[in-house]
Amino acid sequence: MATIIIHSNTLNFEQSKTLERKFGKLTAINNHFRVETENQPERSVLNELSQTLELDINVLPDNFDSKKVKLVISDMDSTLISIECVDEIADFINVKPQVSAITEAAMRGELNFEESLTERVALLKGLDTSALQHVYDERLTLNPGAETWIEGLKEQDIKFALVSGGFTFFTQRLQDRLGIDFTRANTLEKAEHKLTGKVVGDIVGAQAKADFLIELCQQMEILMSQTIAVGDGANDLMMMKEAGLSVAYHAKPAVQEQADTAINYRGLDAILDFVV
Ligand SMILES: [Mg+2]
């Protein structure tokens, strides 16, 4: 048996006909449709169907029970929010093209994340720290459905953790604004209102993200299978592999290939379809 999830609350004639012909009768549940099938459909078949119908279509992994989820962990940059904070900070010291080229390559998995962050942060040396507040106030926007997603999880008593290879300046503000349960990120070192070009302590990279998830599971006394991890970049993959369900959110190709599920059309609120 396999559970297929179609992340949409309305289907046009062509969409519903095509899906029913392929999988059988669809059932409407809250904001989406589900169908139980005898055989696990091929991932490539779902991907093709998804692109043809312009719908997010996913299949739940066998060992994942959507009713038992207790924790969702999410990446920040380009997942919860629409920007890469480090690229925007770099704009205030006129090194955005250099920094965003490194960010892109790191997110595609072509560079070691920790080294790439050290390199990018070094380029910010000497910048007035007021730039961080400017980025937060003027450039940081939540991705579509972010608030509905987090509210929906709270209603079901599911905890939410925000983990980022970006910076605590932003995770802390988002934590207060959205009522997020747990956060972890890198702290930019400052001296006399200027960035020093270094981060304080160890870098939160791919392994640290996975470790944070494991640590939270131990703290909450829950199983890894009761978690969902969401991300878009290569540095999210270790954390995503540990979770009960991984979601590639408008993600890089390498991340989509390795994740259990992908959201490419809908906003973040579609992730609530996994916890019904
Ligand atoms: Mg990201």
Side-chain angles (χ1 to χ4, degrees), residues 52-109:
T52 313
L53 301 177
E54 298 185 341
L55 285 171
D56 290 311
I57 305 169
N58 286 302
V59 58
L60 293 181
D62 282 341
N63 50 358
F64 176 76
D65 185 344
S66 56
K67 291 188 174 62
K68 291 195 172 150
V69 176
K70 290 285 174 221
L71 172 70
V72 172
I73 188 164
S74 174
D75 168 51
M76 178 173 71
D77 292 3
S78 302
T79 301
L80 183 67
I81 64 174
S82 66
I83 57 165
E84 293 287 334
C85 288
V86 67
D87 297 1
E88 299 309 318
I89 299 167
D91 203 17
F92 285 79
I93 193 166
N94 299 319
V95 290
K96 186 173 176 182
Q98 296 92 306
V99 168
S100 57
I102 303 171
T103 303
E104 264 293 308
M107 291 308 119
R108 287 194 303 262

Coordinates of all heavy atoms in Angstrom, one line a residue, residues 52-109:
T52 N 3.4 17.7 -15.7 CA 2.4 17.8 -16.7 C 1.1 18.5 -16.1 O 0.6 19.4 -16.8 CB 1.9 16.4 -17.2 OG1 3.1 15.7 -17.4 CG2 1.1 16.5 -18.4
L53 N 0.8 18.2 -14.9 CA -0.5 18.7 -14.3 C -0.2 20.0 -13.5 O -1.2 20.6 -13.0 CB -1.1 17.7 -13.4 CG -1.5 16.3 -14.1 CD1 -2.1 15.4 -13.1 CD2 -2.5 16.6 -15.3
E54 N 1.0 20.4 -13.4 CA 1.4 21.5 -12.5 C 0.8 21.5 -11.1 O 0.2 22.4 -10.7 CB 1.1 22.8 -13.3 CG 1.8 22.9 -14.6 CD 1.6 24.3 -15.3 OE1 0.6 24.9 -15.0 OE2 2.4 24.6 -16.2
L55 N 1.1 20.3 -10.5 CA 0.6 20.1 -9.2 C 1.7 19.4 -8.4 O 2.5 18.7 -8.9 CB -0.5 19.0 -9.2 CG -1.9 19.4 -9.7 CD1 -2.8 18.1 -9.8 CD2 -2.6 20.4 -8.7
D56 N 1.7 19.7 -7.1 CA 2.7 18.9 -6.2 C 2.0 17.6 -5.9 O 1.0 17.6 -5.3 CB 3.0 19.7 -4.9 CG 3.8 21.0 -5.2 OD1 4.8 20.8 -5.9 OD2 3.4 22.1 -4.8
I57 N 2.7 16.5 -6.2 CA 2.2 15.2 -6.0 C 3.3 14.4 -5.3 O 4.4 14.3 -5.8 CB 1.8 14.4 -7.3 CG1 0.8 15.3 -8.1 CG2 1.2 13.1 -7.0 CD1 0.6 14.8 -9.5
N58 N 3.0 13.8 -4.1 CA 4.0 13.1 -3.4 C 3.5 11.8 -2.8 O 2.3 11.7 -2.7 CB 4.5 14.0 -2.2 CG 5.4 15.1 -2.6 OD1 6.4 14.9 -3.2 ND2 5.0 16.3 -2.3
V59 N 4.4 10.9 -2.5 CA 4.0 9.6 -1.9 C 4.7 9.6 -0.6 O 5.9 9.9 -0.4 CB 4.3 8.4 -2.8 CG1 5.8 8.3 -3.2 CG2 3.8 7.1 -2.2
L60 N 3.9 9.1 0.5 CA 4.5 9.0 1.8 C 5.4 7.8 1.9 O 5.1 6.7 1.4 CB 3.4 8.9 2.9 CG 2.5 10.1 3.1 CD1 1.5 9.9 4.2 CD2 3.4 11.4 3.4
P61 N 6.6 7.9 2.6 CA 7.4 6.8 2.8 C 6.7 5.7 3.7 O 5.9 6.1 4.5 CB 8.7 7.3 3.5 CG 8.6 8.8 3.5 CD 7.2 9.1 3.2
D62 N 7.0 4.5 3.4 CA 6.3 3.4 4.2 C 6.3 3.5 5.7 O 5.3 3.3 6.4 CB 7.0 2.0 3.9 CG 6.6 1.5 2.5 OD1 5.5 2.0 2.0 OD2 7.3 0.7 2.0
N63 N 7.5 3.9 6.2 CA 7.6 3.9 7.7 C 7.2 5.2 8.3 O 7.5 5.4 9.5 CB 9.1 3.6 8.0 CG 10.1 4.4 7.2 OD1 9.6 5.3 6.4 ND2 11.4 4.3 7.5
F64 N 6.6 6.1 7.5 CA 6.2 7.4 8.1 C 4.7 7.4 8.4 O 3.9 7.1 7.6 CB 6.5 8.5 7.0 CG 6.1 9.9 7.5 CD1 6.8 10.6 8.4 CD2 5.0 10.5 6.9 CE1 6.4 11.8 8.8 CE2 4.6 11.7 7.3 CZ 5.3 12.4 8.3
D65 N 4.4 7.8 9.7 CA 3.0 7.9 10.1 C 2.7 9.4 10.3 O 3.2 10.0 11.3 CB 2.8 7.1 11.4 CG 1.4 7.0 11.8 OD1 0.6 7.9 11.3 OD2 1.0 6.2 12.7
S66 N 1.9 9.9 9.5 CA 1.6 11.4 9.5 C 0.8 11.8 10.8 O 0.8 13.0 11.1 CB 0.8 11.8 8.3 OG -0.4 11.0 8.1
K67 N 0.3 10.8 11.5 CA -0.5 11.2 12.7 C 0.5 11.3 14.0 O 0.1 11.7 15.0 CB -1.5 10.1 13.0 CG -2.7 10.2 12.0 CD -3.8 9.3 12.4 CE -5.0 9.5 11.5 NZ -4.7 9.2 10.0
K68 N 1.7 10.8 13.8 CA 2.6 10.8 15.0 C 3.7 11.8 15.0 O 4.5 11.8 15.9 CB 3.3 9.4 15.0 CG 2.3 8.3 15.3 CD 3.0 7.0 15.7 CE 1.9 6.0 16.2 NZ 2.4 4.6 16.0
V69 N 3.6 12.8 14.0 CA 4.6 13.8 14.0 C 4.6 14.8 15.2 O 3.5 15.2 15.6 CB 4.5 14.6 12.6 CG1 5.5 15.8 12.6 CG2 4.6 13.7 11.4
K70 N 5.8 15.0 15.7 CA 5.9 15.9 16.9 C 6.8 17.1 16.7 O 6.8 18.0 17.5 CB 6.4 15.1 18.1 CG 5.5 14.0 18.7 CD 4.4 14.7 19.5 CE 3.4 13.7 19.9 NZ 2.0 14.2 19.8
L71 N 7.6 17.0 15.7 CA 8.6 18.1 15.4 C 8.8 18.3 13.9 O 9.0 17.3 13.2 CB 9.9 17.7 16.1 CG 11.1 18.6 15.8 CD1 10.9 20.0 16.5 CD2 12.4 18.0 16.4
V72 N 8.8 19.6 13.6 CA 9.2 19.9 12.2 C 10.4 20.9 12.3 O 10.4 21.8 13.1 CB 8.0 20.7 11.4 CG1 8.5 21.2 10.1 CG2 6.8 19.7 11.2
I73 N 11.4 20.5 11.5 CA 12.6 21.4 11.5 C 12.8 22.0 10.1 O 12.6 21.3 9.1 CB 13.9 20.6 12.0 CG1 15.1 21.5 12.2 CG2 14.2 19.5 11.1 CD1 16.2 20.9 13.0
S74 N 13.1 23.3 10.1 CA 13.2 23.9 8.8 C 14.4 24.8 8.7 O 14.9 25.4 9.6 CB 11.9 24.8 8.6 OG 12.1 25.6 7.4
D75 N 14.9 24.8 7.5 CA 16.0 25.7 7.1 C 15.4 27.1 7.0 O 14.1 27.3 6.9 CB 16.5 25.3 5.7 CG 17.4 26.3 5.1 OD1 18.3 26.8 5.7 OD2 17.2 26.6 3.9
M76 N 16.2 28.2 7.0 CA 15.7 29.5 7.0 C 15.8 30.1 5.6 O 14.8 30.4 4.9 CB 16.4 30.5 8.0 CG 15.9 31.9 7.9 SD 16.6 33.0 9.2 CE 18.3 33.1 8.7
D77 N 17.0 30.4 5.1 CA 17.2 31.1 3.9 C 16.7 30.3 2.6 O 17.1 29.2 2.5 CB 18.7 31.4 3.7 CG 19.2 32.4 4.7 OD1 18.5 32.9 5.6 OD2 20.4 32.8 4.6
S78 N 15.9 31.0 1.9 CA 15.3 30.4 0.7 C 14.3 29.2 1.0 O 13.9 28.5 0.1 CB 16.3 29.9 -0.4 OG 17.1 31.0 -0.8
T79 N 14.0 29.0 2.3 CA 13.0 28.0 2.7 C 11.9 28.7 3.4 O 10.9 29.0 2.9 CB 13.6 26.9 3.5 OG1 14.6 26.2 2.7 CG2 12.6 25.8 3.9
L80 N 12.2 29.1 4.7 CA 11.2 29.9 5.4 C 11.0 31.3 4.9 O 10.0 31.9 4.8 CB 11.5 29.9 6.9 CG 10.5 30.6 7.8 CD1 9.1 29.9 7.8 CD2 11.0 30.9 9.2
I81 N 12.2 31.9 4.5 CA 12.2 33.2 3.9 C 12.7 33.2 2.5 O 13.3 32.2 2.1 CB 13.0 34.2 4.8 CG1 14.5 33.8 4.8 CG2 12.5 34.2 6.2 CD1 15.4 34.7 5.5
S82 N 12.4 34.3 1.8 CA 12.6 34.2 0.3 C 14.0 34.7 -0.1 O 14.4 34.6 -1.2 CB 11.6 35.1 -0.4 OG 11.8 36.4 -0.1
I83 N 14.8 35.1 0.9 CA 16.2 35.6 0.5 C 17.3 34.8 1.1 O 17.0 33.9 2.0 CB 16.4 37.1 1.0 CG1 16.2 37.2 2.5 CG2 15.5 38.0 0.3 CD1 16.7 38.4 3.2
E84 N 18.5 35.0 0.7 CA 19.7 34.5 1.3 C 20.3 35.7 2.0 O 20.7 36.7 1.4 CB 20.7 34.0 0.3 CG 20.3 32.7 -0.5 CD 20.3 31.5 0.3 OE1 21.1 31.4 1.3 OE2 19.5 30.5 0.0
C85 N 20.1 35.7 3.4 CA 20.5 36.9 4.2 C 21.9 37.3 3.9 O 22.2 38.5 3.7 CB 20.3 36.6 5.7 SG 18.6 36.5 6.1
V86 N 22.9 36.4 3.8 CA 24.3 36.8 3.6 C 24.5 37.5 2.3 O 25.3 38.5 2.3 CB 25.2 35.5 3.7 CG1 25.0 34.6 2.6 CG2 26.7 35.9 3.9
D87 N 23.7 37.2 1.3 CA 23.9 37.9 0.0 C 23.4 39.3 0.1 O 24.0 40.2 -0.5 CB 23.0 37.2 -1.1 CG 23.5 35.8 -1.4 OD1 24.5 35.3 -0.8 OD2 22.9 35.2 -2.3
E88 N 22.3 39.5 0.9 CA 21.7 40.8 1.0 C 22.6 41.7 1.9 O 22.7 42.9 1.7 CB 20.3 40.7 1.6 CG 19.3 40.0 0.7 CD 19.3 40.4 -0.8 OE1 19.3 41.6 -1.0 OE2 19.2 39.5 -1.6
I89 N 23.2 41.1 2.9 CA 24.1 41.9 3.8 C 25.3 42.4 2.9 O 25.7 43.5 3.0 CB 24.6 41.0 5.0 CG1 23.5 40.5 5.9 CG2 25.6 41.8 5.8 CD1 23.9 39.4 6.9
A90 N 25.7 41.5 2.1 CA 26.9 41.8 1.2 C 26.6 43.0 0.3 O 27.5 43.7 0.0 CB 27.2 40.5 0.4
D91 N 25.4 43.2 0.0 CA 25.0 44.3 -0.9 C 25.3 45.6 -0.2 O 25.6 46.6 -0.9 CB 23.5 44.2 -1.2 CG 23.1 44.9 -2.5 OD1 24.0 45.2 -3.3 OD2 21.9 45.2 -2.7
F92 N 25.3 45.7 1.1 CA 25.6 46.9 1.8 C 27.1 47.3 1.8 O 27.5 48.3 2.3 CB 25.0 46.8 3.3 CG 23.5 47.0 3.3 CD1 22.7 45.9 3.0 CD2 22.9 48.2 3.6 CE1 21.3 46.0 3.0 CE2 21.5 48.4 3.6 CZ 20.7 47.3 3.3
I93 N 27.9 46.3 1.4 CA 29.3 46.6 1.4 C 29.8 46.3 -0.1 O 31.0 46.2 -0.3 CB 30.1 45.8 2.5 CG1 31.5 46.3 2.7 CG2 30.0 44.3 2.3 CD1 32.2 45.8 4.0
N94 N 28.8 46.3 -1.0 CA 29.1 46.2 -2.4 C 29.9 44.9 -2.9 O 30.7 45.0 -3.8 CB 29.9 47.4 -2.9 CG 29.0 48.7 -2.7 OD1 27.8 48.6 -3.0 ND2 29.6 49.7 -2.2
V95 N 29.6 43.8 -2.2 CA 30.2 42.5 -2.6 C 29.2 41.5 -2.9 O 29.4 40.3 -2.9 CB 31.3 42.0 -1.6 CG1 32.5 42.9 -1.6 CG2 30.7 41.9 -0.2
K96 N 27.9 41.9 -3.2 CA 26.9 40.9 -3.4 C 27.1 40.0 -4.6 O 26.9 38.8 -4.4 CB 25.5 41.6 -3.6 CG 24.3 40.7 -3.7 CD 23.0 41.3 -3.7 CE 21.9 40.3 -3.9 NZ 20.6 40.9 -4.0
P97 N 27.6 40.4 -5.7 CA 27.9 39.4 -6.8 C 28.8 38.3 -6.4 O 28.6 37.1 -6.6 CB 28.4 40.3 -7.9 CG 28.0 41.6 -7.6 CD 27.9 41.8 -6.2
Q98 N 29.9 38.7 -5.7 CA 30.9 37.7 -5.3 C 30.3 36.7 -4.2 O 30.4 35.5 -4.3 CB 32.1 38.4 -4.6 CG 32.9 39.3 -5.5 CD 32.5 40.7 -5.4 OE1 31.3 41.0 -5.6 NE2 33.4 41.6 -5.1
V99 N 29.6 37.3 -3.3 CA 29.0 36.5 -2.2 C 27.9 35.6 -2.7 O 27.9 34.4 -2.4 CB 28.5 37.4 -1.0 CG1 27.7 36.6 0.0 CG2 29.7 38.0 -0.3
S100 N 27.0 36.1 -3.6 CA 25.9 35.2 -4.0 C 26.4 34.2 -5.0 O 25.8 33.1 -5.0 CB 24.7 36.0 -4.6 OG 25.2 36.9 -5.6
A101 N 27.5 34.4 -5.7 CA 28.0 33.3 -6.5 C 28.5 32.2 -5.6 O 28.3 31.0 -6.0 CB 29.2 33.9 -7.4
I102 N 29.1 32.5 -4.5 CA 29.6 31.4 -3.6 C 28.3 30.7 -3.0 O 28.3 29.5 -2.8 CB 30.5 32.0 -2.5 CG1 31.7 32.7 -3.1 CG2 31.0 30.9 -1.6 CD1 32.6 33.5 -2.1
T103 N 27.3 31.5 -2.6 CA 26.1 30.9 -1.9 C 25.5 29.9 -2.9 O 25.2 28.8 -2.5 CB 25.1 32.0 -1.6 OG1 25.7 33.0 -0.7 CG2 23.9 31.4 -0.9
E104 N 25.3 30.3 -4.2 CA 24.7 29.5 -5.2 C 25.4 28.1 -5.3 O 24.8 27.1 -5.3 CB 24.7 30.2 -6.5 CG 23.5 30.9 -6.9 CD 22.3 30.0 -7.1 OE1 22.4 29.0 -7.9 OE2 21.3 30.2 -6.5
A105 N 26.7 28.2 -5.4 CA 27.6 27.0 -5.6 C 27.5 26.1 -4.4 O 27.4 24.9 -4.5 CB 29.0 27.4 -5.9
A106 N 27.5 26.7 -3.2 CA 27.4 26.0 -1.9 C 26.0 25.3 -1.9 O 25.9 24.1 -1.5 CB 27.6 26.9 -0.7
M107 N 24.9 26.0 -2.2 CA 23.6 25.4 -2.1 C 23.4 24.3 -3.2 O 22.6 23.3 -2.9 CB 22.5 26.5 -2.3 CG 22.5 27.5 -1.2 SD 22.3 26.6 0.4 CE 23.7 27.2 1.2
R108 N 24.1 24.4 -4.3 CA 24.0 23.3 -5.3 C 24.9 22.1 -4.8 O 24.8 21.0 -5.4 CB 24.6 23.7 -6.6 CG 23.6 24.7 -7.4 CD 24.0 24.8 -8.8 NE 25.4 25.3 -9.0 CZ 25.7 26.6 -9.2 NH1 24.8 27.5 -9.3 NH2 27.0 26.9 -9.4
G109 N 25.7 22.3 -3.8 CA 26.5 21.2 -3.3 C 27.9 21.1 -3.9 O 28.6 20.1 -3.8

